Amino acid sequence: MALRDLFFRKPSAPVADAPDTPAPLADPAPSAATAPMQAPVSDPSRASVPAAIPEEPTGWFGRLRQGLSRSTARLTESVTSLFVKRRLDDAALEELEETLIAADLGLPAARRIVAEFRRTRFGTDVTAEEVKEALAESIAAILAPVAVPLVIDATRKPHVVLVVGVNGTGKTTTIAKLGQHYRDEGRRCTFVAGDTFRAAAVEQLQVWAERTGAGLAAPSKPGADAAGLAFDALTAARAAGTDVLLIDTAGRLHNKSALMEELKKLVRIIKRVDPSAPHSVLLVLDATTGQNAVQQTKIFSEMVDVTGLAVTKLDGSAKGGVVVALAQEFALPVHMVGVGEKAADLRPFEARDFARSLMGLE
Amino acid sequence: MAPSLREGSRSGALSFGAKFVFEALSGKLSGVFDRLRRRGALNETDVAEALREVRVALLEADVALPVVRDLVAKVRDRAIGQEVIRSVSPAQQVVKIVNDALVEALGGGDDDNGLRGLNLNAPSPLPILMVGLQGSGKTTTSGKIALRLRTRDRKKVLVASLDVHRPAAQLQLEQLAARAEVTSLPIIAGQSPLEIAMRAMDVARRELYDVVILDTAGRLAIDDALMAEVAAVKAATKPHETLLVVDAMTGQDAVNTARAFQDKVGVTGIVMTRVDGDARGGAALSMRAVTGAPIKLLGAGEKLDALEDFHPDRIASRILGMGDIVSLVEKASETIDQAEAEKLAAKMQKGQFDLADYAKQLQQIGKMGSLSGILGMLPGVGKLKAQMADANLDTKILTRQAAIIGSMTPKERRTPDIIKASRKKRIAAGSGVTVQDVNKLLKQFDDMSAMMKRMNKLGQKGMMRGGLAGLLPPGLRGGGRPF
């Protein structure tokens, strides 16, 4: 019976022990720490010294593993272990669905991809590489329509970018990176230190303004009204002919309605200066976030009309699979990804690269 | 699923969103079991179908895959062959089994040693090392722990930021320390994290501090250089507690992070932050299962006092929509003046509760934190809470109401019935609100008086059975009985 298979099936792959042998939950002993998801490739010493990898019985597989980056090891390992020399049957497809869910892709996205596999390849013998290539293609197809850069309208003077998100996603750092980018393009840029709540948030942006050569509109005292600050900053920026005005906001959980109302107020107030502002509303998402990113996107979009997303911290072990779910559900443009702490570590979002990175290809 | 998500999204603080999954889950399971209600023992097919829903719900809640498998297997073993108890539905019975498995997985159950919170059983100065990814809330949590140690444990606390990477991070901790009224190690620019840590320990020894909180920079688990740096700090300072700070919104990557920090640094406990969001918090299950390190504290708000002890049974109850009445009682007993509360209670029972008492009560509620936070702890008020959140209820309303009552004469407070149009106008003008606001307050007070009468009628026994939801008018009650 299918459900039993799902939990007890032993993949016939020659690879370690990936998804079977679940670790006993109540037992914090070493077995739990090493068992289910400790894919061999995630061992740094091995990954950085390919020569140390013992010869695999299947030569191509060893080579493939060398090419995998450490950070995507988990997903690729389990996909690989599922499909090497394996018939694509119901049980295999169910495992594939679970594997995609485990990569934070979310249930609808995982189901859609699995459905496509069922349609085109059911009952065929497939290899790991084929599955990965095909999965990457499916994911890239979902992501391609949303890979849209953030275009600054040079006629606006200033083009107002409002940056929002929950606490700790990297709003301030993203603003700093954007500021650097626009400065490099020869645009004049001003930061608005709208996070008047968190301790030292203003000082943080101030340091970035000095480093990137951007202007800074800072509140006169902690806890000052961010809307008022933005109003003054926009008025001044219009007078000065600034090209881009980047408004930082305090991080807020999307389920705190009072804080979300405060954000709506900020939008209302800056519309008094320029009815078309903000021209872009950038929602900053942390790649380590799981399915909650769907709720974040939903509520922030309802409240302040998010026009695009930035995904940060993609240099870590989390690969931001939830972006696939977001693309399916909201079709909001993903403008950029953050891959480090330096001002230059902001890249345009490339659907194909992202999809292949998710699958551990190249 | 969609309506419940929507509802969850607007609930106030402390809802620990997993509850909504499980509310939805209970619904789904009811569907599965509807046709076999009251039919002897649970058989394998019934259970398998129910477990499919359990599995999907756990995965959607960001619980890591191996942990889900294990939990599901455990629930299946226990569920199959169980006699269906006459008084409950099979769905409720499976939910109960899921609940028990959840409590165990979170560190409760029979193996629970009852040790909670921070371990402070070591000679001074006792170092606490805070580690975690960027943006997980280390610095804020450091401030919260400092405040708690100073006020609750009466410790002399020194905090030091070792974050030399993020601009103004040291300044952030310094400001938080000022708010928590603890000492912050003077910032010397250009020092390395290790140097700062050694200086902090040195100062603590000389100036006789009890606890030193070392806040480190956020680092990626795969950044070997930075992991080595924090490992060096750990080796040098030998912290009594190494706390891994993790965001409750974390997805499947929680296990990677937890394992990497466990392997490379070694953690003695986990702090989950942002549990006041609506994330389903599956990360808690994953990390506990993977590292075996206990979850010690929960961050549940932006204010410095929004730090709670972790209790597996309570959290599991909250997850299942049964509320967290114990936390509420504890919080209340910490902040509410006991004598005052007894006087109020006596008055309530005699039906002599007047507006002056109401004003006093407002003050005490204000001390306990946000209303939505308090409501989140009450059993069976899920829906009501969502409505309240929509109505934008916050402590500001309490302040305003206190102002309105402040503008009344003592006679008006004792006998609100005498407040008619002209008095209302005077009160509104005196407190800077509209007459409608005054009306609202009077109406609310009326409702409350009515509720108290019901409470007296219901008696203690009724309170126990129906929870506080039993007091509410039927239309406002949250999603049904617990079970």
Side-chain angles (χ1 to χ4, degrees), chain A residues 3-4 7 19 23-25 33 37-38 74 98 102 104 107 167-168 197-200 203-204 251 253-257 288 290-292 295-296 302 313 315 317 341, chain B residues 6 9 11 44 48 55-56 60 62 66 69-71 76 105 134-135 166-168 171-172 175 220 222 249 251-253 255-256 259 274 276-279 289 302 389:
Chain A
L3 195 67
R4 282 197 78 83
F7 299 115
L25 210 62
M37 299 197 308
Q38 186 78 330
R74 190 163 57 83
E98 272 195 348
D104 281 332
L107 203 60
N167 316 61
F197 179 82
R198 207 203 67 195
E203 287 84 348
Q204 185 183 352
L253 290 173
H254 49 287
N255 60 343
K256 306 241 160 145
S257 42
T288 53
Q291 296 312 301
N292 192 246
Q295 274 303 302
Q296 290 175 22
E302 281 173 10
K313 305 181 201 172
D315 46 337
S317 51
E341 292 184 271
Chain B
R6 167 84 196 160
S9 69
S11 73
E44 201 165 335
R55 188 177 61 92
V56 169
E60 281 183 337
D62 290 325
R69 285 207 179 109
D70 207 38
L71 204 68
R76 178 182 33 235
Q134 289 97 339
R166 188 167 58 95
L171 195 59
Q172 183 188 353
Q175 293 182 3
L220 296 166
I222 56 167
M249 301 184 290
Q252 300 277 336
D253 191 56
V255 282
N256 296 340
R259 185 179 294 126
R274 302 192 192 118
D276 51 332
D278 63 354
E302 295 183 342

Coordinates of all heavy atoms in Angstrom, one line a residue, chain A residues 3-4 7 19 23-25 33 37-38 74 98 102 104 107 167-168 197-200 203-204 251 253-257 288 290-292 295-296 302 313 315 317 341, chain B residues 6 9 11 44 48 55-56 60 62 66 69-71 76 105 134-135 166-168 171-172 175 220 222 249 251-253 255-256 259 274 276-279 289 302 389:
Chain A
L3 N 1.0 4.4 1.0 CA 1.4 5.2 2.1 C 2.6 4.5 2.9 O 3.5 5.2 3.3 CB 0.3 5.5 3.0 CG 0.5 6.7 4.0 CD1 0.7 8.0 3.2 CD2 -0.5 6.8 5.0
R4 N 2.4 3.3 3.1 CA 3.4 2.5 3.9 C 4.8 2.6 3.1 O 5.8 2.9 3.7 CB 3.1 1.1 4.0 CG 2.0 0.8 5.1 CD 2.0 -0.7 5.5 NE 3.1 -1.0 6.3 CZ 3.2 -0.9 7.6 NH1 2.1 -0.3 8.2 NH2 4.2 -1.3 8.4
F7 N 6.8 5.7 3.6 CA 7.6 5.8 4.8 C 8.7 4.8 5.0 O 9.7 5.0 5.6 CB 6.7 5.8 6.1 CG 5.7 6.8 6.1 CD1 4.4 6.6 6.0 CD2 6.1 8.2 6.1 CE1 3.4 7.6 6.0 CE2 5.2 9.2 6.1 CZ 3.8 8.9 6.0
P19 N 17.3 9.4 2.7 CA 16.0 9.7 3.3 C 15.4 8.5 4.1 O 14.5 8.7 4.8 CB 15.1 10.0 2.1 CG 15.8 9.6 0.9 CD 17.1 9.0 1.3
A23 N 15.8 9.2 12.0 CA 16.4 9.2 13.3 C 15.3 9.1 14.4 O 14.3 9.8 14.2 CB 17.2 10.5 13.4
P24 N 15.6 8.4 15.4 CA 14.6 8.3 16.5 C 14.5 9.7 17.1 O 15.5 10.3 17.5 CB 15.2 7.3 17.5 CG 16.6 7.1 17.1 CD 16.8 7.5 15.7
L25 N 13.3 10.2 17.2 CA 13.0 11.5 17.5 C 13.4 11.9 19.0 O 14.0 12.9 19.3 CB 11.5 11.8 17.3 CG 11.2 13.2 16.9 CD1 11.8 13.5 15.6 CD2 9.7 13.4 16.9
A33 N 22.1 12.9 15.3 CA 22.9 14.0 14.7 C 23.5 13.6 13.4 O 23.8 14.5 12.6 CB 24.0 14.4 15.7
M37 N 19.9 13.4 7.2 CA 20.1 14.3 6.1 C 21.6 14.7 6.0 O 22.0 15.6 5.3 CB 19.3 15.6 6.3 CG 17.8 15.2 6.3 SD 16.7 16.5 6.0 CE 17.3 17.6 7.3
Q38 N 22.4 14.0 6.7 CA 23.8 14.2 6.6 C 24.4 13.6 5.3 O 25.0 12.6 5.3 CB 24.5 13.6 7.8 CG 26.0 13.9 8.0 CD 26.2 15.3 8.5 OE1 25.4 16.2 8.3 NE2 27.3 15.5 9.2
R74 N 21.9 18.7 0.1 CA 20.8 18.0 0.7 C 19.8 17.6 -0.3 O 19.4 16.5 -0.5 CB 20.2 18.8 1.8 CG 19.3 18.1 2.7 CD 19.1 18.8 3.9 NE 18.6 20.2 3.7 CZ 17.3 20.5 3.5 NH1 16.4 19.5 3.5 NH2 17.0 21.7 3.2
E98 N 7.9 15.0 -1.9 CA 8.3 15.3 -0.5 C 9.7 16.0 -0.6 O 10.0 16.9 0.2 CB 8.5 14.0 0.2 CG 7.3 13.5 1.0 CD 7.6 12.5 2.0 OE1 8.7 11.9 2.0 OE2 6.7 12.2 2.8
A102 N 10.7 19.5 1.0 CA 11.9 19.6 1.9 C 12.8 20.7 1.5 O 13.6 21.2 2.3 CB 12.6 18.3 2.0
D104 N 11.8 23.6 0.7 CA 11.1 24.8 0.9 C 10.3 25.3 -0.3 O 9.9 26.4 -0.4 CB 11.9 26.0 1.4 CG 12.3 25.9 2.9 OD1 11.5 25.3 3.6 OD2 13.4 26.4 3.2
L107 N 4.0 23.2 -1.1 CA 3.2 22.1 -1.7 C 2.6 22.3 -3.1 O 2.8 21.4 -3.9 CB 2.0 21.8 -0.7 CG 1.5 20.4 -0.7 CD1 2.5 19.3 -0.5 CD2 0.3 20.3 0.3
N167 N 11.2 41.7 10.5 CA 12.5 42.0 11.2 C 13.6 41.1 10.7 O 13.4 39.9 10.5 CB 12.3 41.9 12.7 CG 11.0 42.5 13.2 OD1 10.0 42.0 12.8 ND2 11.1 43.4 14.0
G168 N 14.8 41.7 10.5 CA 16.0 40.9 10.3 C 16.1 40.2 9.0 O 16.9 39.3 8.8
F197 N 12.6 52.9 15.1 CA 12.3 52.1 16.3 C 13.5 51.3 16.9 O 13.9 51.4 18.0 CB 11.2 51.1 16.0 CG 10.8 50.3 17.2 CD1 10.0 50.8 18.1 CD2 11.3 49.0 17.3 CE1 9.6 50.0 19.2 CE2 10.9 48.2 18.4 CZ 10.1 48.7 19.4
R198 N 14.1 50.5 16.0 CA 15.2 49.6 16.5 C 16.4 50.4 16.9 O 16.8 51.4 16.3 CB 15.6 48.6 15.4 CG 16.1 47.3 15.9 CD 17.0 46.6 14.9 NE 18.2 47.4 14.7 CZ 19.0 47.2 13.7 NH1 18.8 46.3 12.8 NH2 20.1 47.9 13.6
A199 N 17.0 49.9 18.0 CA 18.2 50.6 18.5 C 19.3 50.6 17.4 O 19.6 49.6 16.7 CB 18.7 49.8 19.7
A200 N 19.9 51.8 17.2 CA 21.0 52.0 16.3 C 20.8 51.7 14.8 O 21.7 51.6 14.1 CB 22.2 51.2 16.8
E203 N 22.0 54.7 12.9 CA 23.4 54.8 12.8 C 23.9 53.8 11.8 O 24.9 54.0 11.0 CB 24.0 54.5 14.2 CG 23.9 55.6 15.2 CD 22.6 55.6 15.9 OE1 21.7 54.9 15.5 OE2 22.4 56.4 16.9
Q204 N 23.3 52.6 11.7 CA 23.7 51.6 10.8 C 23.6 52.1 9.3 O 24.5 52.0 8.5 CB 22.8 50.4 10.9 CG 23.2 49.2 10.0 CD 22.2 48.0 10.2 OE1 21.3 48.0 11.0 NE2 22.4 47.0 9.3
G251 N 11.5 46.9 10.6 CA 11.0 45.6 10.4 C 9.7 45.4 11.2 O 9.6 45.9 12.3
L253 N 6.4 42.4 11.8 CA 5.8 41.2 11.5 C 4.4 41.5 10.9 O 3.7 42.4 11.3 CB 5.5 40.4 12.8 CG 6.8 39.8 13.4 CD1 6.5 39.2 14.8 CD2 7.4 38.8 12.5
H254 N 4.1 40.8 9.8 CA 3.0 41.1 9.0 C 1.7 40.9 9.7 O 0.6 41.4 9.3 CB 3.0 40.3 7.7 CG 3.3 38.9 8.0 ND1 4.5 38.4 8.4 CD2 2.4 37.8 8.0 CE1 4.4 37.1 8.6 NE2 3.2 36.7 8.3
N255 N 1.7 40.2 10.8 CA 0.4 40.0 11.6 C 0.1 41.0 12.6 O -0.8 40.9 13.4 CB 0.4 38.6 12.2 CG 1.5 38.3 13.2 OD1 2.5 39.1 13.2 ND2 1.4 37.3 14.0
K256 N 1.0 42.0 12.7 CA 0.8 43.1 13.7 C 0.1 44.2 12.9 O 0.7 45.0 12.3 CB 2.1 43.6 14.2 CG 2.9 42.5 14.8 CD 3.2 42.7 16.3 CE 3.6 41.4 16.9 NZ 4.5 41.6 18.0
S257 N -1.2 44.2 13.1 CA -2.0 45.1 12.2 C -1.7 46.6 12.5 O -1.7 47.4 11.6 CB -3.5 44.8 12.3 OG -3.8 44.6 13.6
T288 N 16.2 32.0 4.2 CA 16.1 30.9 5.2 C 14.6 30.7 5.6 O 14.2 29.7 6.2 CB 16.9 31.1 6.5 OG1 16.6 32.4 7.0 CG2 18.4 31.0 6.2
G290 N 10.8 29.8 5.6 CA 10.1 28.7 5.0 C 8.8 29.2 4.4 O 8.7 30.3 3.8
Q291 N 7.7 28.4 4.6 CA 6.4 28.7 4.0 C 5.8 30.0 4.5 O 4.9 30.5 3.9 CB 5.5 27.6 4.1 CG 6.0 26.3 3.4 CD 6.4 26.6 2.0 OE1 5.6 27.0 1.2 NE2 7.7 26.3 1.7
N292 N 6.3 30.5 5.6 CA 5.8 31.8 6.1 C 6.0 32.9 5.1 O 5.3 33.9 5.1 CB 6.4 32.1 7.4 CG 5.6 33.2 8.1 OD1 6.1 34.3 8.4 ND2 4.4 33.0 8.5
Q295 N 2.8 34.0 3.4 CA 2.0 34.9 4.2 C 2.5 36.3 4.2 O 1.8 37.3 4.1 CB 1.9 34.4 5.7 CG 0.8 33.4 5.9 CD -0.6 33.9 5.5 OE1 -1.0 34.9 6.0 NE2 -1.2 33.2 4.6
Q296 N 3.9 36.4 4.4 CA 4.5 37.7 4.4 C 4.2 38.5 3.1 O 3.7 39.6 3.1 CB 6.0 37.6 4.5 CG 6.4 37.1 5.9 CD 7.9 36.9 6.0 OE1 8.7 37.5 5.2 NE2 8.4 36.1 6.9
E302 N -1.1 43.1 0.2 CA -2.5 43.7 0.5 C -2.4 45.1 1.1 O -3.1 46.0 0.8 CB -3.2 42.8 1.5 CG -3.8 41.6 0.8 CD -4.4 40.6 1.9 OE1 -4.5 41.1 3.1 OE2 -4.8 39.5 1.5
K313 N 20.4 36.7 1.7 CA 21.1 35.6 2.4 C 21.2 34.3 1.6 O 21.1 33.2 2.1 CB 20.5 35.4 3.8 CG 20.5 36.7 4.6 CD 19.9 36.4 6.0 CE 19.4 37.8 6.5 NZ 18.7 37.6 7.8
D315 N 23.6 33.3 0.1 CA 24.9 32.7 0.2 C 25.0 31.6 1.2 O 26.1 31.0 1.4 CB 26.0 33.8 0.4 CG 25.6 34.8 1.5 OD1 24.4 34.9 1.7 OD2 26.5 35.4 2.0
S317 N 23.2 28.2 3.5 CA 22.8 26.9 3.1 C 21.4 26.8 2.7 O 21.0 25.8 2.0 CB 23.1 25.9 4.2 OG 22.5 26.4 5.4
E341 N 27.6 40.2 2.4 CA 27.5 41.3 3.3 C 28.1 42.6 2.7 O 27.9 43.7 3.2 CB 28.1 41.1 4.6 CG 27.3 40.0 5.4 CD 27.8 39.8 6.8 OE1 28.7 39.0 7.0 OE2 27.3 40.4 7.7
Chain B
R6 N -5.9 33.2 6.4 CA -6.3 34.6 6.4 C -6.5 34.9 7.9 O -6.0 35.9 8.4 CB -7.6 34.8 5.6 CG -8.3 36.0 5.8 CD -7.7 37.1 5.0 NE -8.1 38.4 5.4 CZ -7.5 39.5 5.2 NH1 -6.4 39.5 4.5 NH2 -7.9 40.6 5.6
S9 N -3.4 35.0 9.8 CA -2.5 36.1 9.4 C -2.7 37.4 10.3 O -1.9 38.2 10.4 CB -2.6 36.5 8.0 OG -3.9 37.1 7.8
S11 N -4.0 37.4 13.5 CA -4.1 37.2 14.9 C -2.9 38.0 15.6 O -1.9 38.2 14.9 CB -3.9 35.7 15.2 OG -2.6 35.3 15.1
E44 N -6.1 0.4 10.3 CA -5.0 0.9 9.6 C -5.3 1.8 8.5 O -4.6 2.8 8.3 CB -4.1 -0.3 9.1 CG -2.7 0.0 8.9 CD -1.8 -1.2 8.7 OE1 -2.2 -2.3 9.2 OE2 -0.8 -1.1 8.0
A48 N -4.1 5.6 8.2 CA -3.2 6.0 7.1 C -3.8 7.2 6.4 O -3.0 8.1 6.1 CB -3.1 4.8 6.1
R55 N 0.8 14.5 7.8 CA 2.1 14.7 7.2 C 2.2 16.0 6.4 O 3.1 16.8 6.5 CB 2.4 13.5 6.3 CG 3.8 13.4 5.7 CD 3.9 12.2 4.9 NE 3.0 12.1 3.7 CZ 3.3 12.6 2.5 NH1 4.4 13.1 2.3 NH2 2.4 12.6 1.6
V56 N 1.1 16.2 5.6 CA 1.1 17.4 4.8 C 1.1 18.6 5.7 O 1.8 19.6 5.4 CB -0.1 17.4 3.9 CG1 -0.3 18.8 3.2 CG2 0.0 16.3 2.8
E60 N 3.9 21.5 5.7 CA 3.5 22.9 5.4 C 3.9 23.8 6.5 O 4.1 25.0 6.4 CB 2.0 23.0 5.2 CG 1.6 22.6 3.8 CD 0.1 22.8 3.6 OE1 -0.7 22.8 4.6 OE2 -0.3 22.8 2.4
D62 N 6.7 23.7 7.9 CA 8.1 23.8 7.9 C 8.9 22.8 8.8 O 10.0 23.0 9.2 CB 8.6 25.2 8.2 CG 8.3 26.2 7.1 OD1 8.3 25.8 5.9 OD2 7.9 27.4 7.4
P66 N 12.7 14.4 7.7 CA 12.9 13.2 8.5 C 12.2 13.3 9.9 O 11.7 12.2 10.4 CB 14.4 13.3 8.8 CG 15.0 14.5 8.2 CD 13.9 15.2 7.5
R69 N 8.6 12.3 9.2 CA 8.5 10.9 9.0 C 8.4 10.2 10.4 O 7.6 9.3 10.6 CB 9.7 10.3 8.2 CG 9.6 10.7 6.8 CD 10.4 9.6 6.0 NE 10.3 9.9 4.6 CZ 11.3 10.4 3.9 NH1 12.5 10.6 4.5 NH2 11.2 10.7 2.6
D70 N 9.3 10.6 11.2 CA 9.5 10.0 12.5 C 8.2 10.2 13.4 O 7.7 9.2 14.0 CB 10.7 10.5 13.2 CG 11.3 9.6 14.2 OD1 11.3 8.4 13.9 OD2 11.7 10.0 15.3
L71 N 7.7 11.4 13.3 CA 6.5 11.7 14.1 C 5.3 11.0 13.6 O 4.5 10.4 14.4 CB 6.3 13.3 14.0 CG 5.5 13.9 15.1 CD1 6.3 13.9 16.4 CD2 5.2 15.4 14.7
R76 N 1.3 6.7 14.0 CA 0.6 5.5 13.4 C 0.7 4.3 14.4 O -0.3 3.7 14.6 CB 1.3 5.1 12.1 CG 0.6 3.9 11.5 CD 1.3 3.4 10.2 NE 2.7 3.7 10.3 CZ 3.3 4.4 9.3 NH1 2.7 4.8 8.3 NH2 4.6 4.6 9.4
A105 N 8.3 15.3 21.2 CA 9.3 15.8 20.3 C 9.9 17.1 20.7 O 11.0 17.4 20.4 CB 8.7 15.8 18.9
Q134 N 22.6 35.7 10.5 CA 22.3 37.1 10.5 C 20.8 37.3 10.6 O 20.0 36.6 10.0 CB 22.7 37.8 9.1 CG 24.2 37.9 9.0 CD 24.8 36.8 8.2 OE1 24.2 35.7 8.1 NE2 26.0 36.9 7.6
G135 N 20.4 38.4 11.3 CA 19.0 38.7 11.4 C 18.1 37.8 12.1 O 16.9 37.8 12.0
R166 N 28.8 44.1 11.2 CA 27.7 44.9 10.8 C 27.8 46.3 11.3 O 28.1 46.5 12.5 CB 26.4 44.3 11.3 CG 25.1 45.0 10.8 CD 23.9 44.2 11.0 NE 23.7 43.9 12.5 CZ 22.9 44.7 13.2 NH1 22.3 45.7 12.8 NH2 22.8 44.4 14.5
P167 N 27.6 47.3 10.5 CA 27.7 48.7 11.0 C 26.8 49.0 12.2 O 25.6 48.5 12.1 CB 27.3 49.5 9.8 CG 27.5 48.7 8.6 CD 27.3 47.3 9.1
A168 N 27.2 49.6 13.2 CA 26.5 50.1 14.3 C 25.9 49.0 15.2 O 25.0 49.2 16.0 CB 25.3 51.0 13.9
L171 N 26.8 49.6 18.8 CA 26.0 50.7 19.3 C 24.6 50.2 19.6 O 24.0 50.6 20.6 CB 25.9 51.8 18.2 CG 25.4 53.1 18.6 CD1 26.4 53.7 19.7 CD2 25.4 54.1 17.4
Q172 N 24.0 49.3 18.8 CA 22.7 48.7 19.0 C 22.6 48.1 20.4 O 21.7 48.3 21.2 CB 22.3 47.8 17.9 CG 20.9 47.2 18.0 CD 20.6 46.1 17.0 OE1 21.5 45.8 16.2 NE2 19.5 45.5 17.1
Q175 N 22.7 50.5 23.2 CA 21.4 51.2 23.5 C 20.5 50.3 24.2 O 19.7 50.7 25.0 CB 20.8 51.7 22.1 CG 21.7 52.8 21.5 CD 21.1 53.4 20.2 OE1 20.0 53.0 19.8 NE2 21.8 54.3 19.6
L220 N 26.9 32.8 8.6 CA 26.4 31.7 7.9 C 27.0 30.4 8.5 O 28.2 30.4 8.7 CB 26.6 31.8 6.4 CG 26.0 33.0 5.8 CD1 26.5 33.3 4.4 CD2 24.5 32.8 5.7
I222 N 27.9 28.0 6.9 CA 28.8 27.4 6.0 C 30.1 28.3 5.9 O 31.0 28.0 5.1 CB 28.2 27.1 4.6 CG1 27.7 28.4 4.0 CG2 27.2 26.1 4.6 CD1 27.3 28.4 2.6
M249 N 10.4 31.6 11.9 CA 10.0 31.6 10.5 C 10.9 30.7 9.6 O 10.6 30.5 8.4 CB 9.9 33.0 9.9 CG 9.0 33.9 10.6 SD 8.9 35.5 9.8 CE 10.5 36.2 10.1
G251 N 12.7 27.9 7.6 CA 12.1 26.8 6.9 C 12.9 25.5 7.1 O 13.4 25.3 8.2
Q252 N 13.0 24.7 6.1 CA 13.6 23.4 6.2 C 15.1 23.5 6.5 O 15.7 22.6 7.0 CB 13.5 22.6 4.9 CG 12.1 22.4 4.5 CD 11.5 21.2 5.2 OE1 12.2 20.3 5.6 NE2 10.1 21.1 5.3
D253 N 15.7 24.7 6.3 CA 17.1 24.9 6.5 C 17.4 24.9 8.0 O 18.6 24.9 8.4 CB 17.6 26.2 5.9 CG 19.1 26.4 5.9 OD1 19.7 25.5 5.3 OD2 19.6 27.4 6.4
V255 N 17.4 22.7 10.2 CA 18.2 21.6 10.6 C 19.6 21.8 10.2 O 20.5 21.4 11.0 CB 17.6 20.2 10.0 CG1 16.4 19.8 10.8 CG2 17.3 20.4 8.5
N256 N 19.9 22.3 9.0 CA 21.3 22.5 8.6 C 22.0 23.5 9.5 O 23.1 23.2 10.0 CB 21.3 23.1 7.2 CG 20.7 22.2 6.1 OD1 20.7 21.0 6.4 ND2 20.3 22.7 5.0
R259 N 22.4 22.0 13.0 CA 23.5 20.9 13.1 C 24.9 21.6 12.9 O 25.8 21.2 13.6 CB 23.2 19.9 12.0 CG 24.2 18.7 12.1 CD 24.0 17.7 11.0 NE 22.7 17.0 11.2 CZ 21.8 16.9 10.3 NH1 22.0 17.5 9.1 NH2 20.7 16.3 10.5
R274 N 10.6 35.6 17.4 CA 9.5 35.9 16.5 C 8.3 34.9 16.6 O 7.7 34.7 15.6 CB 9.9 36.1 15.1 CG 10.9 37.2 15.0 CD 11.3 37.8 13.7 NE 12.5 38.6 13.9 CZ 13.7 38.3 13.4 NH1 13.8 37.4 12.5 NH2 14.7 39.1 13.6
D276 N 5.8 35.5 18.0 CA 4.6 36.4 17.9 C 4.2 36.6 16.5 O 3.1 37.2 16.3 CB 4.8 37.7 18.6 CG 6.1 38.4 18.2 OD1 7.0 37.7 17.7 OD2 6.1 39.7 18.2
G277 N 4.9 36.1 15.5 CA 4.5 36.1 14.2 C 3.5 35.0 13.9 O 3.1 34.3 14.8
D278 N 3.1 34.8 12.6 CA 2.2 33.7 12.4 C 2.9 32.5 11.7 O 2.2 31.7 11.0 CB 1.0 34.2 11.5 CG 1.4 34.7 10.2 OD1 2.6 34.8 9.9 OD2 0.5 35.0 9.4
A279 N 4.2 32.5 11.8 CA 4.9 31.3 11.2 C 4.5 30.1 12.0 O 4.2 30.2 13.2 CB 6.4 31.5 11.3
A289 N 14.8 17.9 17.4 CA 15.1 16.6 17.0 C 16.5 16.3 16.5 O 17.1 15.3 16.8 CB 14.1 16.2 16.0
E302 N 8.8 42.8 20.3 CA 9.9 43.7 20.1 C 10.3 44.4 21.4 O 11.4 44.9 21.5 CB 9.5 44.8 19.0 CG 9.3 44.2 17.7 CD 9.0 45.2 16.6 OE1 8.6 46.4 17.0 OE2 9.1 44.9 15.4
A389 N -7.7 41.8 16.7 CA -6.6 42.4 16.0 C -7.0 43.2 14.8 O -6.4 44.3 14.6 CB -5.7 41.2 15.5

